[in-house]
Amino acid sequence: MMSGEGWAEAFLEMMSVERAAAANTLRAYERDLADASGFLAGRGLSLASASAGDVEAYFADLGRRGLSSATASRRRAALRQFYRFVLGEGWRADDPSRRVEAPRRGRPLPRVLSRQEAAALIAAATARDAVRGLRLACMIELAYAGGLRVSELTGLTLAQVARGPDFLMIRGKGGKERLAPLNDAARAAVRAWLEVRSSTLPKGDAANPWLFPSGGKGGRLTPRRFAQLLSEAAVEAGIDPARVSPHVLRHAFATHLLEGGADLRVVQTLLGHADIATTQIYTHVAGERLAEVVATAHPLSASRKPRRESGFS
């Protein structure tokens, strides 16, 4: 009988010959099956010997990795198709993926940085060369302090901050306006950036209206470039760059507010969400993080040794 690897090769050949799968599709299936094989190998198993419990554990692991819902769903679907093929060929008497209930398609939980990681990211940005470091630190501070979308951040004008405001007036999706309060750190970062901003202006562009100007076609730093700089700062801060993006800063803003006791309606207003159901997803993230704190810090937690008390027995 062929091994699990041989089964995978036969499956890919079937997909190519019988179903005329495109080359990109075949490569995706190959990567998905290799991912499953790698997980099972860590448990001393293979695609041929995996049980329903092992497949269920793999599916659960996909959810814990922070993959996009599309990627995780595709990998589950690839493994289900593979095992249906194997069952049809008679190589196994069962389909270990059949009994595993597919997760409901819903909004995935957002990735979030801890407060310490957010601080480390800002510190890494500030540690860069003077001017570029001040710009990146200012952008991170504003995104994290105000919960700004990346388009809102890169679209800020000089006029919006020229007087050192305590808050920004943001025009969000659908042209809806909202206030974004700024904390002391964000205001200080803006002041520091404004002191050096003129030195970054392209020659002959003294009237550039953007807070974060650039020599590019649009005259301002692009969301894509900010994402690149953010990834570089993440590496320098010792954080996996796959966990960091401009939108993750917005997620951190909302989650940390809720952890601190902020009212959900207030967070909804600050984020500019039209429906509170969109904001409620952050309560799950904050709840999980608070549960971890209780589990590790509470004196009666099973993870902590009980303190020996004196007195009557």
Side-chain angles (χ1 to χ4, degrees), residues 269-281:
T269 300
L270 293 174
L271 289 173
H273 287 162
D275 187 347
I276 197 169
T278 307
T279 316
Q280 284 176 327
I281 192 171

Side-chain angles (χ1 to χ4, degrees), residues 4-5 32-51 54-55 57-58 61 65 79 83:
E5 290 184 1
D32 293 339
L33 292 178
D35 185 77
S37 294
F39 174 84
L40 294 169
R43 300 166 70 94
L45 300 167
S46 68
L47 290 170
S49 60
S51 67
D54 299 318
V55 173
Y58 171 64
D61 183 66
R65 291 191 216 170
L79 198 58
Y83 278 121

